[in-house]
Amino acid sequence: MSETATRTKATNDIKDIRLADEGRRRTEWAERSMPVLRQLRVRFTRERPLAGKRLAACLHVTTETANLAVTLQAGGADVALCASNPLSTQDDVAAHLVRDHGIKVFAIKGEDHATYYEHIRAALAHHADITMDDGADLVGALHMIALNRLDDLAPPVRKWIETLSAADRKALVSGVIGSTEETTTGVIRLKAMAKDGVLQFPVIAVNDSQTKHLFDNRYGTGQSTLDGIIRATNLLIAGSTVVVAGYGWCGRGFALRARGAGANVLVTEIDPMKALEAQMDGYRVVPMEQAAPLGDVFVTLTGNVEVIRVEHMRAMKDGAVVANSGHFNVEIDLEGLKKIAKGPVAVREFVAEFQIDGKKLFVLGEGRLINLAAAEGHPASVMDMSFANQALAAEYVVNNAKKLGKDVHRIPADLDQEIARLKLQAMGVAIDTLTPAQRKYLASWDMGT
């Protein structure tokens, strides 16, 4: 941690407040590409739909997130923000939010495991009415507390919870009227909670909105993952063999970008429908066992554990590069790798060398989100729609919490459509509207040939 780190637990924990000027400049640059969120901020400033609500957010602390946080604050929310990944924080942005907006921020790029969970604790201590997650770490901790599974909490959180009375613990959870979730990984965890009947409050699956997963996951992840790999390695992608593990929306996007850069792309999948789609899209689909000795660059985008295992890494060629663009650093079996390999040795920033059986294997960004570990994450233009979803989801929770069951819900289709409409409008794109005759035809059944 920097000697100039701010360690005022009640208000913030950031690296260096003196970075704020650069953070402000970069945040303002991102805002230029976020017209939908900017329009929402104007309305939020006027209507104050979140007035009086405490909001705790566990998100990647980037320039785009800063614009979301400021929008939520404009809507009346008292915002506390912590990082959803130890390597995704942009320290200058954190400083800008603290100095220029008075937002409580608990995030330092490169923070260790204990500090990461101390920051989760600080966000929980905000006693939020609404939580906002990127991976369900906040909601997960709240549910461990609700179920009295304190041994499953990280030590900084557990020690704090043990100082609270039973009534205070209950109030910490019961005070949450609803939550929003940004990622595929988080939604999977939350749906599992709902299925087990333990979900304590309604959650809006922002990730399931079409204006989120069709654009953020495909175009955002596709571009930013390739960007992160190139920044970390400066490798030439053209002519290389890139193995894409997972052909969901993120995998589709990255495969498209890798092929566009000239790579020979292989896809691995467990879902027959997605595998068939990848094959029909022109990619070669093979099991990871067959891909392992062929690939130059391997990227996991599945949301699952141990997608690349020790037996795969043993089979890889000398100089193979392995990276992850899924939310958690569990897709590559790094612990297994460390047991059989020499290393790691840092050879570049965000590049670690391991030696296995006389061959060298390079792991990028500690197996964490490479697009945020080594680059700046998704372009602001894409996050404009994702964070418009987040802002509208928070407003929707406030207006509908009493009517929503303890389940995982989607944002209403009309809000999703409105975000798309605003985005098109900002891009200067016009579309057709139905004529009265067309509306009648679509609503009828008796007009045949």
Side-chain angles (χ1 to χ4, degrees), residues 118-313:
E118 170 58 28
H119 291 162
I120 294 285
R121 180 212 65 78
L124 292 171
H126 192 54
H127 295 276
D129 302 293
I130 303 168
T131 66
M132 193 171 280
D133 256 316
D134 201 333
D137 275 348
L138 278 183
V139 166
L142 284 168
H143 281 74
M144 294 304 174
I145 296 165
L147 299 173
N148 202 34
R149 291 173 53 179
L150 303 190
D151 288 343
D152 292 323
L153 292 168
V157 181
R158 185 177 67 246
K159 290 177 182 178
W160 171 64
I161 288 297
E162 288 172 346
T163 67
L164 302 181
S165 67
D168 287 340
R169 294 179 196 176
K170 182 178 179 180
L172 190 67
V173 179
S174 63
V176 178
I177 63 172
S179 180
T180 72
E181 171 56 48
E182 176 89 5
T183 65
T184 304
T185 301
V187 169
I188 290 170
R189 297 172 74 183
L190 292 161
K191 287 182 176 177
M193 291 181 192
K195 183 178 179 181
D196 289 345
V198 299
L199 196 61
Q200 301 291 306
F201 39 75
V203 179
I204 307 300
V206 166
N207 184 74
D208 290 351
S209 299
Q210 291 194 72
T211 45
K212 197 281 182 185
H213 72 252
L214 289 179
F215 298 92
D216 178 320
N217 293 6
R218 178 168 35 172
Y219 302 114
T221 302
Q223 178 170 312
S224 63
T225 299
L226 187 62
D227 181 29
I229 292 168
I230 292 172
R231 290 200 202 194
T233 65
N234 199 31
L235 289 174
L236 178 66
I237 303 301
S240 66
T241 297
V242 174
V243 178
V244 180
Y247 202 66
W249 287 111
C250 294
R252 289 180 182 94
F254 175 65
L256 182 66
R257 294 293 172 256
R259 181 163 63 183
N264 170 39
V265 178
L266 307 183
V267 172
T268 71
E269 248 302 340
I270 60 164
D271 184 317
M273 194 65 71
K274 292 176 181 175
L276 179 60
E277 183 178 2
Q279 185 72 24
M280 300 296 279
D281 284 345
Y283 302 107
R284 182 181 173 192
V285 179
V286 295
M288 184 61 76
E289 182 182 10
Q290 293 182 27
L294 302 176
D296 299 301
V297 178
F298 296 77
V299 183
T300 54
L301 308 101
T302 72
N304 211 332
V305 298
E306 298 180 3
V307 178
I308 294 179
R309 299 185 293 277
V310 168
E311 64 264 31
H312 303 138
M313 291 183 274

Side-chain angles (χ1 to χ4, degrees), residues 311-326:
E311 64 264 31
H312 303 138
M313 291 183 274
R314 281 191 184 277
M316 290 178 185
K317 63 176 69 173
D318 184 35
V321 171
V322 180
N324 169 54
S325 202

Side-chain angles (χ1 to χ4, degrees), residues 245 288 298 300 302 304-314 316 322-324 328-341 354 356 361 363-364 366-368:
M288 184 61 76
F298 296 77
T300 54
T302 72
N304 211 332
V305 298
E306 298 180 3
V307 178
I308 294 179
R309 299 185 293 277
V310 168
E311 64 264 31
H312 303 138
M313 291 183 274
R314 281 191 184 277
M316 290 178 185
V322 180
N324 169 54
F328 291 118
N329 62 330
V330 297
E331 303 203 22
I332 303 164
D333 184 10
L334 294 177
E335 293 306 312
L337 175 63
K338 291 173 183 176
K339 291 177 182 178
I340 62 146
F354 292 85
I356 312 173
L361 178 71
V363 175
L364 306 187
E366 301 176 12
R368 300 189 183 278

